[in-house]
Amino acid sequence: MTKLILNRRRFLHASAAATLATPYFYTAASAQDRVLQVGVYNSAQGGLIKKEVLPAFEKEFGCKVLTTEGATLANIASLRATRDNPVYSVMSMDDVGFPQAKAEGLIEELPMDEIPNLANVYPRYLFEENYGVGFAVSIAGLFINPQMSKPIESYAEIFEPKYARKMMLNTPKNTQSVLMLIVASALATGKSLQEAQYMTDEGWARLADLKPNVLTIYDGEAQVMMVAQGQATVGGIEYSKAIYPHTRKGVPLDMTYPKEGAFTGINGIALVKGAPQRELGLAWIDRLLSPEVQKMLAEATLSAPTVKGVEFSDDSLKYLAYPEARMEELNLFTPDWNYIIPRRAEWLEKYNQTFAG
């Protein structure tokens, strides 16, 4: 009997040691009866993740996944409100949100060795020293009715008199409104968009030159139809995710990317500091970065993957900033939000004054 008890103890000890030695990430059964709470976007993309990604993840990891839908600022506010008792393990936010979330201590550095698919992410889509990672990329530029207008070769064109009262300008309420200030600064200084974002004092007068061409300042996606219907000739700066779904349906709308470059709009994800289900959270991030999910999201939402090696048909590729050769062709540029965000309130006040009346 003593021998049997000792053998049983050795067996239990060995089993426990084996469990501890096995990374949580690869042991789906160990997540049994656990609840993972994540923030997703309140968009078609968020709905797609809930429908196509979540059920298979729950089944594989034996867990329950609860989602909260919101936009970047709302999601950061949720993390701030639960800082002392974290509820979320993973939170979605755009690249513009990572600097703020990191500075406030709301998120933590992503462990590269615990998220295998991070190794396939293009470096340009890792942010704040790996405190955030993009998983879907939209392109920001101008949009036109291709049945009525030719592609715009330079941003300088939209300042010409032929566009008088024919331009739809994105509202200052939207983050991408500051991109037009960067464009104006680049035209005023002759510098690249990369350099011009730090020279905006020289861009305000050039931006004011655009005022006679502005027909309306729009603040809803439905208003982009004014260009499709011929009420306006050009609009922007806008993200392709607001235009290409219409293009694919046959609506006469298309993006146009001037030679100075196109901007990125990046949906991203971060690991919450003090995540109550850290290991499951890491697995969730890894799943969103998997080639299969990246391909599915890209084809459904027309936003490019952030990982290498995903194969697409030519019909899908024409909408995507992908692969890297296409990124270079577009002269793709991601603004320095660390520099912009502290100045944004001041810029928006001046932006409103520029186009008032």
Side-chain angles (χ1 to χ4, degrees):
M1 179 64 70
T2 303
K3 184 176 182 181
L4 288 174
I5 292 173
L6 289 175
N7 286 341
R8 175 174 170 78
R9 287 176 178 170
R10 290 192 187 101
F11 173 78
L12 292 174
H13 179 75
S15 298
T19 299
L20 292 173
T22 303
Y24 186 103
F25 185 85
Y26 295 102
T27 55
S30 63
Q32 194 71 36
D33 299 325
R34 302 212 180 186
V35 177
L36 172 68
Q37 192 151 338
V38 302
V40 299
Y41 288 101
N42 55 342
S43 64
Q45 180 201 79
L48 192 65
I49 289 172
K50 290 166 64 177
K51 179 181 178 182
E52 301 293 339
V53 180
L54 188 153
F57 186 90
E58 287 183 328
K59 184 177 181 180
E60 179 178 344
F61 287 88
C63 66
K64 181 68 176 176
V65 179
L66 302 180
T67 61
T68 300
E69 298 184 8
T72 296
L73 293 180
N75 289 349
I76 291 177
S78 294
L79 294 185
R80 195 180 293 124
T82 57
R83 180 202 306 268
D84 295 335
N85 186 24
V87 172
Y88 301 95
S89 294
V90 176
M91 185 59 77
S92 294
M93 62 185 72
D94 292 349
D95 55 331
V96 64
F98 292 130
Q100 181 178 350
K102 179 185 177 184
E104 293 187 29
L106 301 174
I107 57 178
E108 65 177 72
E109 183 178 355
L110 297 172
M112 301 293 286
D113 59 338
E114 296 181 64
I115 308 176
N117 283 313
L118 276 179
N120 295 323
V121 173
Y122 288 105
R124 67 171 71 209
Y125 299 129
L126 285 166
F127 302 101
E128 296 300 306
E129 298 178 321
N130 299 341
Y131 271 71
V133 60
F135 68 88
V137 182
S138 187
I139 322 168
L142 303 174
F143 61 95
I144 59 171
N145 180 333
Q147 297 177 0
M148 302 177 67
S149 303
K150 295 180 179 178
I152 294 172
E153 295 183 5
S154 170
Y155 285 108
E157 291 181 33
I158 64 174
F159 288 79
E160 295 175 1
K162 67 179 181 179
Y163 285 102
R165 302 283 294 168
K166 295 183 178 180
M167 169 79 185
M168 291 178 60
L169 190 65
N170 210 321
T171 175
K173 297 177 185 176
N174 291 337
T175 301
Q176 61 265 41
S177 62
V178 301
L179 305 181
M180 191 61 82
L181 173 59
I182 296 174
V183 164
S185 301
L187 295 175
T189 61
K191 302 294 185 180
S192 67
L193 296 175
Q194 171 70 38
E195 297 170 293
Q197 67 182 325
Y198 306 113
M199 307 172 71
T200 53
D201 285 348
E202 300 178 52
W204 288 107
R206 187 69 173 118
L207 186 64
D209 291 340
L210 190 63
K211 185 175 180 179
N213 291 358
V214 176
L215 171 66
T216 186
I217 293 178
Y218 72 99
D219 60 4
E221 186 178 322
Q223 291 174 275
V224 304
M225 289 300 172
M226 292 178 65
V227 170
Q229 296 162 359
Q231 298 166 276
T233 301
V234 61
I237 292 174
E238 185 57 86
Y239 290 126
S240 59
K241 63 184 177 183
I243 303 299
Y244 280 153
H246 300 297
T247 308
R248 186 163 62 177
K249 293 177 182 177
V251 176
L253 282 174
D254 201 2
M255 295 295 296
T256 179
Y257 305 113
K259 64 182 182 181
E260 290 85 1
F263 298 88
T264 57
I266 303 172
N267 296 147
I269 198 163
L271 179 65
V272 177
K273 187 172 183 178
Q277 294 291 342
R278 186 177 185 277
E279 293 81 3
L280 278 176
L282 296 176
W284 178 263
I285 294 171
D286 195 68
R287 181 59 51 87
L288 288 188
L289 296 174
S290 68
E292 298 78 15
V293 171
Q294 287 275 286
K295 181 179 177 68
M296 181 273 294
L297 290 176
E299 290 178 338
T301 67
L302 304 182
S303 295
T306 60
V307 302
K308 306 170 186 175
V310 183
E311 298 290 335
F312 294 101
S313 67
D314 290 341
D315 185 60
S316 293
L317 278 175
K318 66 185 179 183
Y319 298 115
L320 307 177
Y322 193 84
E324 197 160 29
R326 176 62 172 158
M327 301 175 202
E328 298 301 329
E329 178 187 337
L330 290 167
N331 196 13
L332 208 57
F333 166 63
T334 299
D336 181 355
W337 296 113
N338 266 317
Y339 179 81
I340 293 172
I341 291 302
R343 297 165 174 79
R344 186 167 181 259
E346 177 187 346
W347 287 3
L348 294 191
E349 182 178 354
K350 199 166 183 178
Y351 200 104
N352 283 320
Q353 292 172 356
T354 300
F355 292 101

